[in-house]
Amino acid sequence: MFRKLMIGAAATLTATGAFAATDAPSGYTKCAQTAATCTMSGTHQAAMGKAGVFGYATLTGSFVCQLSTFPDAPSNSTWCSYDPATSSASSSAASSVASSVASSSSSSKSSSSVASSSVASSVASSSVASSVASSSVASSSSALLPPQNVVVPPLAFEDTHITVVWEKPTSYSTVTGYRIYANGVLKGTTSNISWPVGITNQQLYYDITGLTANTAYSIVVRSIDASGAESASSNTVSQTTTATPTVINITASPYNAVAGGTTVNTAAIQKAINACPVGGKVLIPSGTFKSGALYLKSDCTYQIDGVLLGSDAAADYEWGNNRFPLYGTTGFGSVKYPTNYKALLNTCGYYTDWTARTGYVADNLCNGFKNIRITGSGSVAGSSGSSADSANSGYYLSTLAHNQRAAQGGDNATGDSARADLANLQGINGLYIANLKFTLPAMHMLFVARSSNVTFANINANSWPSASSKGIHNGDGIDLSTAYADQLTTSGPVGLLPTNAYIFGSTFDNGDDCINLNAGTSAPGVLAATPVNGVKIFNNYTLHGHGGVVLGSFTAAGFKNIAITENTFNGTEIGLRFKTGTNRGGGIATLTGNDFGVKALDNKVNAIIDDAIVIFADYPDSSFADAPSPGYFHDISITNLTGSVGSSAYAMETDGNSGSEHTNIKMTNVNITGGKGYSIYGVKGAAANTMFTSLKSSAGTFYYDGSLLSSSNFASCSPAPTAK
């Protein structure tokens, strides 16, 4: 929190013992050692700590110098101290400073800046924050609640920065932003993210920069209101920055990659990757570096500050990728998942001779990869350009996609499925992708399968060429598919991990789904039993795309613990899209203990083309063996969805399969302008479990299936729900 300006007279104090200058904040008066009593008159900002790390509290009169009074103080604290200024004399100045910082750190993202926004772009610089922290302390407020569950997402830290994320307090109507502290020093202040359409979202993340390598930091976050008052501290998260890495520059000898976008640097870049030591960094510097398929190592950071450009030649990508390797093998069905070209960035696959790049082995069951970071200030482009796809009127293909499809039979099913992903990353425990722009994939953009402990932060995924009316065919932004296991067998997974993924602060403009969660399909997916378990999706912005956040159509192993918070969907076809089919199985995984299915809170839609919310079970059947039962969704909670849809769109539309209807669906405060209203079919359940409260539409009708639901399932809805 801010330290108060030093105004007013010193209070009476009692103190004994020696102390060091670092035992108290600058300007504070030392008053008592641990377990002794500090005697003050009036109300003051007090501190407990040592060596520049302090916990703070606003206290009145005498207090005991102990950790229970200052829960944020380090356990080795030796002294307590206080600000000589009384709270009444300094609160005005403190609020003024707090308001100034909050104003200077307000987030603003115009349509031209969304693509290039950085994780820290919407907050005050840490230098400004630290300067203010050294001179002031904002008043605390018992009415404000602190944020919850502050964590460092998987691998979201390096030698000079740490990213933290959090959840909103249980009550947050007066919260206008958050302050982030590391080792007792204010590092930044967040306010609302402002999107081009005048919509705002609360920012729930912050990248703390300018840190020291190999140093431990204790981090807390505090809520603030419009007056600058702070809440108590959140939970404390501890994180140590990494050591300064060994950097391998791909342009240095003996790698000698050549910029300019004409030389194919596959061998040179791969040689640099192979040389990366544990904890090291491969640097692609400023410039454009063309390459074919690359294969990443564990325990390395890949920093792309220039442009990594995919070659347009099909021959520069090996044949042998298999996104679902056990499909079609014994016990998993008779239909093999289609083979396709390797991606530009891969984990699966290797060579028996890396130097000669010969003896390629397609390792379709690969796992055991860990701790891979892909970051930087540059971009990854899958091809040099794009043009119309004659087989799919209105869609585009990248130049590479045209060439790969032609090499495998042309504009037919076999050739079409041959197209590569831009990145195909499988079998990874620990993956961090941040701050980069991805564009022009041959097929999917970022396909991450059988992986856990994953972070996507502040990326821009664009598969919508400006000349296209539908974007790149199958050009999903993110496909997060199933979870990591040490081994997959026909008896189920061995060593299965929760997905534990974070997707935040990112922009999507895509020819297919924007953020797609994928749990496998049909009988093979049920047998593999690798559910998508634990994904937090927040502060993202979607433009074109079939769906903003999408679950399915691959639903076999199910989803659970999916939290979708403070996202904005602008011009997307569907905001929240749930899709499964009669032979696909699953939907929501079995819930136990504190598990939940899907919770969507405080999301916003604007100019949605089809529907704001869709829950469907009529997606076309897959070619694999049928799942034991049809797919359906249950335990979905959607609260506070607001915005507008097009004239032919629904606020919400649901449908299900007879005998396998969706259930345990709760929706509250959905307020949509425009469109055709609500159409709720294929949903059942008693009012205690399936309930629609304060669903409103400014236009259209509100119909539901009276054989599955009754008037008791609805409350305060407009128009009035009518059984039909």
Side-chain angles (χ1 to χ4, degrees):
M1 70 179 62
F2 288 124
R3 297 175 186 162
K4 291 181 181 177
L5 295 174
M6 295 179 59
I7 301 174
T12 304
L13 62 94
T14 301
T16 60
F19 55 80
T22 54
D23 289 340
S26 175
Y28 275 51
T29 302
K30 286 107 176 161
C31 60
Q33 288 183 292
T34 304
T37 298
C38 172
T39 301
M40 305 186 305
S41 61
T43 300
H44 301 266
Q45 192 75 31
M48 180 182 186
K50 183 177 181 178
V53 183
F54 304 102
Y56 294 91
T58 301
L59 301 172
T60 301
S62 299
F63 64 89
V64 178
C65 183
Q66 58 190 0
L67 289 173
S68 60
T69 308
F70 301 92
D72 296 331
S75 60
N76 63 346
S77 296
T78 57
W79 274 86
C80 285
S81 58
Y82 68 94
D83 183 343
T86 62
S87 62
S88 60
S90 61
S91 60
S92 176
S95 296
S96 175
V97 173
S99 298
S100 174
V101 170
S103 174
S104 69
S105 65
S106 63
S107 172
S108 178
K109 299 192 178 189
S110 66
S111 58
S112 62
S113 65
V114 166
S116 60
S117 62
S118 68
V119 171
S121 65
S122 60
V123 292
S125 68
S126 54
S127 61
V128 171
S130 298
S131 172
V132 174
S134 67
S135 63
S136 62
V137 176
S139 60
S140 62
S141 169
S142 59
L144 278 174
L145 296 177
Q148 306 177 89
N149 301 323
V150 177
V151 299
V152 177
L155 297 183
F157 59 95
E158 293 187 65
D159 54 331
T160 61
H161 80 97
I162 298 171
T163 300
V164 289
V165 304
W166 57 89
E167 297 172 17
K168 293 186 291 189
T170 53
S171 177
Y172 49 89
S173 61
T174 61
V175 173
T176 59
Y178 300 90
R179 293 194 182 119
I180 300 86
Y181 295 83
N183 290 354
V185 177
L186 178 66
K187 291 296 185 179
T189 303
T190 73
S191 57
N192 285 338
I193 303 171
S194 297
W195 300 114
V197 291
I199 294 175
T200 62
N201 295 123
Q202 271 200 25
Q203 182 169 316
L204 304 175
Y205 65 92
Y206 186 78
D207 190 38
I208 307 170
T209 59
L211 303 180
T212 303
N214 203 24
T215 300
Y217 289 90
S218 294
I219 302 166
V220 298
V221 182
R222 297 170 184 163
S223 307
I224 58 174
D225 64 16
S227 72
E230 287 186 342
S231 70
S233 293
S234 67
N235 62 291
T236 300
V237 60
S238 298
Q239 182 64 59
T240 300
T241 51
T242 65
T244 301
T246 298
V247 177
I248 296 178
N249 190 321
I250 65 167
T251 65
S253 178
Y255 318 111
N256 302 317
V258 178
T262 57
T263 301
V264 178
N265 292 286
T266 311
I269 299 174
Q270 189 65 58
K271 187 174 183 178
I273 292 172
N274 297 344
C276 184
V278 172
K281 177 182 290 185
V282 175
L283 172 64
I284 298 178
S286 178
T288 298
F289 297 88
K290 183 186 287 190
S291 178
L294 298 169
Y295 300 84
L296 307 182
K297 288 175 59 177
S298 295
D299 298 309
C300 285
T301 294
Y302 303 90
Q303 183 165 320
I304 304 169
D305 289 340
V307 178
L308 178 62
L309 173 63
S311 167
D312 288 331
D316 285 333
Y317 304 84
E318 287 73 30
W319 180 255
N321 198 1
N322 194 326
R323 298 185 183 98
F324 297 95
L326 295 182
Y327 283 44
T329 62
T330 302
F332 285 82
S334 59
V335 180
K336 189 176 185 301
Y337 197 87
T339 301
N340 59 302
Y341 284 101
K342 287 291 181 180
L344 178 58
L345 298 174
N346 307 270
T347 49
C348 297
Y350 61 91
Y351 289 92
T352 56
D353 185 344
W354 278 107
T355 301
R357 201 174 174 87
T358 58
Y360 175 75
V361 177
D363 184 6
N364 289 331
L365 295 177
C366 71
N367 62 6
F369 291 93
K370 60 186 176 69
N371 301 336
I372 293 175
R373 290 186 176 95
I374 306 171
T375 187
S377 58
S379 62
V380 181
S383 188
S384 65
S386 63
S387 58
D389 173 12
S390 60
N392 292 278
S393 178
Y395 283 99
Y396 266 44
L397 289 183
S398 71
T399 304
L400 173 62
H402 281 295
N403 293 339
Q404 288 179 332
R405 193 162 70 174
Q408 297 297 326
D411 291 346
N412 56 39
T414 303
D416 191 64
S417 64
R419 293 177 290 134
D421 303 323
L422 180 58
N424 189 286
L425 306 171
Q426 302 198 35
I428 308 172
N429 181 7
L431 173 65
Y432 175 76
I433 301 178
N435 305 324
L436 293 167
K437 181 175 182 178
F438 298 90
T439 187
L440 291 175
M443 198 172 189
H444 306 110
M445 187 82 71
L446 301 173
F447 194 95
V448 176
R450 299 182 292 112
S451 296
S452 294
N453 298 312
V454 176
T455 299
F456 297 94
N458 188 47
I459 66 168
N460 183 289
N462 188 307
S463 57
W464 191 280
S466 58
S468 173
S469 61
K470 291 187 178 181
I472 287 179
H473 181 37
N474 302 126
D476 294 5
I478 289 175
D479 288 275
L480 184 60
S481 176
T482 65
Y484 182 91
D486 292 327
Q487 185 181 0
L488 294 181
T489 73
T490 54
S491 300
V494 177
L496 178 66
L497 297 177
T499 310
N500 189 34
Y502 294 77
I503 304 172
F504 61 92
S506 297
T507 299
F508 299 88
D509 196 0
N510 300 119
D512 208 307
D513 291 329
C514 296
I515 301 171
N516 179 235
L517 306 184
N518 176 336
T521 192
S522 309
V526 172
L527 287 169
T530 53
V532 177
N533 177 9
V535 183
K536 294 184 177 180
I537 302 169
F538 57 97
N539 288 168
N540 299 290
Y541 182 67
T542 71
L543 293 159
H544 297 104
H546 293 179
V549 175
V550 181
L551 277 69
S553 61
F554 282 25
T555 56
F559 311 91
K560 62 181 177 180
N561 300 318
I562 312 299
I564 307 166
T565 307
E566 292 280 2
N567 302 281
T568 289
F569 313 118
N570 179 26
T572 316
E573 290 185 25
I574 299 169
L576 300 174
R577 186 185 189 194
F578 301 81
K579 54 178 179 175
T580 187
T582 57
N583 84 331
R584 292 176 178 269
I588 300 293
T590 301
L591 308 179
T592 60
N594 293 323
D595 288 340
F596 60 89
V598 179
K599 291 182 180 179
L601 175 67
D602 292 344
N603 297 286
K604 298 174 181 179
V605 296
N606 181 69
I608 293 297
I609 298 170
D610 287 346
D611 296 325
I613 306 168
V614 161
I615 306 176
F616 278 172
D618 62 350
Y619 206 79
D621 285 350
S622 76
S623 57
F624 302 103
D626 290 353
S629 60
Y632 75 102
F633 290 100
H634 59 89
D635 291 279
I636 295 173
S637 172
I638 298 177
T639 305
N640 299 343
L641 179 71
T642 59
S644 65
V645 300
S647 59
S648 61
Y650 282 95
M652 180 170 67
E653 190 175 9
T654 69
D655 206 351
N657 296 306
S658 178
S660 296
E661 293 87 357
H662 314 297
T663 188
N664 287 19
I665 310 295
K666 292 186 176 181
M667 303 204 181
T668 306
N669 294 335
V670 177
N671 192 343
I672 304 297
T673 60
K676 300 195 294 184
Y678 293 85
S679 175
I680 302 177
Y681 294 87
V683 175
K684 66 179 182 180
N689 300 314
T690 297
M691 190 69 193
F692 303 94
T693 305
S694 296
L695 272 57
K696 301 182 186 301
S697 174
S698 66
T701 56
F702 197 137
Y703 292 123
Y704 67 91
D705 186 342
S707 67
L708 299 174
L709 299 172
S710 70
S711 60
S712 63
N713 294 106
F714 303 90
S716 302
C717 295
S718 177
T722 302
K724 190 174 182 180

